[in-house]
Short mmCIF file of all heavy atoms in Angstrom, two decimals:
data_model
loop_
_atom_site.label_atom_id
_atom_site.label_comp_id
_atom_site.label_asym_id
_atom_site.label_seq_id
_atom_site.Cartn_x
_atom_site.Cartn_y
_atom_site.Cartn_z
N PHE A 49 0.85 -1.19 0.00
CA PHE A 49 0.00 0.00 0.00
C PHE A 49 0.88 1.23 0.00
O PHE A 49 1.99 1.23 0.52
CB PHE A 49 -0.90 0.03 1.25
CG PHE A 49 -1.92 -1.06 1.29
CD1 PHE A 49 -1.61 -2.29 1.83
CD2 PHE A 49 -3.20 -0.86 0.78
CE1 PHE A 49 -2.54 -3.31 1.87
CE2 PHE A 49 -4.14 -1.88 0.81
CZ PHE A 49 -3.81 -3.11 1.36
N ALA A 50 0.33 2.31 -0.59
CA ALA A 50 0.97 3.60 -0.41
C ALA A 50 0.81 4.00 1.05
O ALA A 50 -0.23 3.75 1.67
CB ALA A 50 0.34 4.64 -1.32
N ARG A 51 1.85 4.60 1.61
CA ARG A 51 1.81 4.94 3.04
C ARG A 51 0.58 5.81 3.33
O ARG A 51 0.30 6.78 2.64
CB ARG A 51 3.09 5.70 3.42
CG ARG A 51 3.28 5.83 4.93
CD ARG A 51 4.62 6.47 5.24
NE ARG A 51 5.73 5.66 4.76
CZ ARG A 51 6.24 4.62 5.40
NH1 ARG A 51 5.69 4.24 6.55
NH2 ARG A 51 7.26 3.95 4.91
N GLY A 52 -0.16 5.40 4.34
CA GLY A 52 -1.35 6.13 4.73
C GLY A 52 -2.63 5.62 4.11
O GLY A 52 -3.71 6.08 4.48
N SER A 53 -2.53 4.65 3.17
CA SER A 53 -3.74 4.16 2.52
C SER A 53 -4.09 2.74 2.94
O SER A 53 -5.04 2.17 2.44
CB SER A 53 -3.56 4.19 0.99
OG SER A 53 -2.56 3.27 0.59
N ALA A 54 -3.33 2.15 3.87
CA ALA A 54 -3.57 0.77 4.27
C ALA A 54 -4.83 0.68 5.14
O ALA A 54 -5.18 1.63 5.84
CB ALA A 54 -2.37 0.24 5.04
N PRO A 55 -5.54 -0.45 5.10
CA PRO A 55 -6.74 -0.62 5.93
C PRO A 55 -6.38 -0.63 7.41
O PRO A 55 -5.30 -1.07 7.82
CB PRO A 55 -7.29 -1.98 5.48
CG PRO A 55 -6.11 -2.70 4.93
CD PRO A 55 -5.24 -1.66 4.31
N THR A 56 -7.31 -0.13 8.22
CA THR A 56 -7.07 -0.05 9.67
C THR A 56 -7.96 -0.99 10.46
O THR A 56 -7.58 -1.44 11.52
CB THR A 56 -7.28 1.39 10.15
OG1 THR A 56 -8.62 1.81 9.81
CG2 THR A 56 -6.29 2.34 9.49
N ARG A 57 -9.16 -1.31 9.97
CA ARG A 57 -10.08 -2.16 10.73
C ARG A 57 -9.74 -3.62 10.52
O ARG A 57 -9.56 -4.08 9.40
CB ARG A 57 -11.52 -1.89 10.29
CG ARG A 57 -11.97 -0.45 10.57
CD ARG A 57 -13.37 -0.22 10.10
NE ARG A 57 -14.32 -1.05 10.85
CZ ARG A 57 -15.63 -1.07 10.60
NH1 ARG A 57 -16.12 -0.33 9.63
NH2 ARG A 57 -16.43 -1.85 11.30
N PRO A 58 -9.66 -4.40 11.62
CA PRO A 58 -9.33 -5.82 11.48
C PRO A 58 -10.52 -6.61 10.96
O PRO A 58 -11.67 -6.20 11.05
CB PRO A 58 -8.97 -6.24 12.90
CG PRO A 58 -9.76 -5.30 13.76
CD PRO A 58 -9.81 -3.99 13.02
N CYS A 59 -10.24 -7.76 10.42
CA CYS A 59 -11.27 -8.64 9.89
C CYS A 59 -11.92 -9.42 11.02
O CYS A 59 -11.24 -9.98 11.89
CB CYS A 59 -10.64 -9.60 8.89
SG CYS A 59 -11.70 -10.98 8.42
N ASP A 60 -13.26 -9.42 11.05
CA ASP A 60 -14.01 -10.29 11.95
C ASP A 60 -14.75 -11.28 11.06
O ASP A 60 -15.84 -11.00 10.57
CB ASP A 60 -14.98 -9.47 12.81
CG ASP A 60 -15.70 -10.35 13.82
OD1 ASP A 60 -15.57 -11.60 13.73
OD2 ASP A 60 -16.39 -9.81 14.68
N HIS A 61 -14.15 -12.44 10.82
CA HIS A 61 -14.68 -13.38 9.85
C HIS A 61 -16.08 -13.88 10.21
O HIS A 61 -16.87 -14.24 9.34
CB HIS A 61 -13.73 -14.56 9.71
CG HIS A 61 -14.11 -15.50 8.61
ND1 HIS A 61 -14.16 -15.12 7.28
CD2 HIS A 61 -14.50 -16.81 8.64
CE1 HIS A 61 -14.53 -16.15 6.54
NE2 HIS A 61 -14.75 -17.18 7.34
N ARG A 62 -16.43 -13.83 11.54
CA ARG A 62 -17.73 -14.36 11.95
C ARG A 62 -18.88 -13.53 11.40
O ARG A 62 -19.96 -14.04 11.12
CB ARG A 62 -17.81 -14.40 13.48
CG ARG A 62 -16.90 -15.45 14.10
CD ARG A 62 -16.77 -15.25 15.59
NE ARG A 62 -16.16 -13.94 15.89
CZ ARG A 62 -15.93 -13.50 17.12
NH1 ARG A 62 -16.28 -14.23 18.16
NH2 ARG A 62 -15.37 -12.33 17.32
N THR A 63 -18.65 -12.22 11.19
CA THR A 63 -19.74 -11.36 10.70
C THR A 63 -19.66 -11.14 9.20
O THR A 63 -20.49 -10.44 8.64
CB THR A 63 -19.69 -10.00 11.40
OG1 THR A 63 -18.46 -9.35 11.05
CG2 THR A 63 -19.79 -10.15 12.90
N LEU A 64 -18.64 -11.71 8.56
CA LEU A 64 -18.45 -11.47 7.12
C LEU A 64 -18.52 -12.76 6.33
O LEU A 64 -17.99 -12.85 5.23
CB LEU A 64 -17.10 -10.78 6.88
CG LEU A 64 -16.98 -9.38 7.49
CD1 LEU A 64 -15.56 -8.88 7.39
CD2 LEU A 64 -17.92 -8.42 6.80
N ARG A 65 -19.15 -13.77 6.89
CA ARG A 65 -19.25 -15.05 6.21
C ARG A 65 -20.43 -15.04 5.22
O ARG A 65 -21.49 -14.56 5.52
CB ARG A 65 -19.45 -16.16 7.24
CG ARG A 65 -19.32 -17.57 6.68
CD ARG A 65 -19.67 -18.59 7.77
NE ARG A 65 -18.90 -18.37 8.97
CZ ARG A 65 -17.68 -18.87 9.17
NH1 ARG A 65 -17.13 -19.62 8.25
NH2 ARG A 65 -17.04 -18.64 10.30
N TRP A 66 -20.21 -15.53 4.02
CA TRP A 66 -21.31 -15.71 3.07
C TRP A 66 -21.04 -16.94 2.23
O TRP A 66 -19.89 -17.34 2.05
CB TRP A 66 -21.52 -14.48 2.19
CG TRP A 66 -20.37 -14.11 1.29
CD1 TRP A 66 -20.05 -14.65 0.11
CD2 TRP A 66 -19.37 -13.12 1.55
NE1 TRP A 66 -18.94 -14.07 -0.42
CE2 TRP A 66 -18.50 -13.12 0.45
CE3 TRP A 66 -19.15 -12.22 2.61
CZ2 TRP A 66 -17.42 -12.26 0.37
CZ3 TRP A 66 -18.08 -11.37 2.50
CH2 TRP A 66 -17.22 -11.39 1.40
N PRO A 67 -22.11 -17.56 1.72
CA PRO A 67 -21.89 -18.77 0.92
C PRO A 67 -21.26 -18.44 -0.42
O PRO A 67 -21.38 -17.33 -0.92
CB PRO A 67 -23.32 -19.32 0.74
CG PRO A 67 -24.19 -18.12 0.84
CD PRO A 67 -23.54 -17.21 1.85
N ARG A 68 -20.54 -19.41 -1.00
CA ARG A 68 -19.98 -19.23 -2.34
C ARG A 68 -21.13 -19.11 -3.33
O ARG A 68 -22.05 -19.92 -3.34
CB ARG A 68 -19.09 -20.42 -2.70
CG ARG A 68 -18.42 -20.25 -4.07
CD ARG A 68 -17.39 -21.33 -4.28
NE ARG A 68 -16.70 -21.15 -5.54
CZ ARG A 68 -15.68 -20.32 -5.73
NH1 ARG A 68 -15.22 -19.61 -4.72
NH2 ARG A 68 -15.10 -20.19 -6.91
N LEU A 69 -21.07 -18.10 -4.16
CA LEU A 69 -22.17 -17.80 -5.06
C LEU A 69 -21.92 -18.42 -6.42
O LEU A 69 -20.81 -18.38 -6.94
CB LEU A 69 -22.33 -16.28 -5.20
CG LEU A 69 -22.54 -15.55 -3.86
CD1 LEU A 69 -22.41 -14.06 -4.06
CD2 LEU A 69 -23.90 -15.88 -3.30
N ALA A 70 -22.93 -18.97 -6.99
CA ALA A 70 -22.83 -19.56 -8.33
C ALA A 70 -24.04 -19.12 -9.13
O ALA A 70 -25.13 -18.93 -8.59
CB ALA A 70 -22.78 -21.08 -8.25
N GLY A 71 -23.83 -19.00 -10.45
CA GLY A 71 -24.95 -18.58 -11.29
C GLY A 71 -25.31 -17.14 -11.01
O GLY A 71 -24.51 -16.24 -11.18
N ARG A 72 -26.49 -16.89 -10.47
CA ARG A 72 -26.93 -15.54 -10.17
C ARG A 72 -26.66 -15.22 -8.70
O ARG A 72 -26.63 -16.09 -7.85
CB ARG A 72 -28.42 -15.38 -10.48
CG ARG A 72 -28.74 -15.52 -11.96
CD ARG A 72 -30.19 -15.16 -12.22
NE ARG A 72 -30.50 -13.80 -11.79
CZ ARG A 72 -30.22 -12.72 -12.52
NH1 ARG A 72 -29.61 -12.84 -13.68
NH2 ARG A 72 -30.54 -11.52 -12.08
#
């Protein structure tokens, strides 16, 4: 990343889970 543009919030995988999408 360019200095100052890196993400700051950590990943919480429990709230960002979704099934693999296929087709539509």
Side-chain angles (χ1 to χ4, degrees):
F49 294 87
R51 192 175 298 278
S53 66
T56 57
R57 297 179 64 183
C59 167
D60 184 351
H61 187 62
R62 290 167 298 180
T63 63
L64 296 171
R65 190 186 306 274
W66 63 81
R68 183 171 183 82
L69 303 169
R72 295 188 58 81

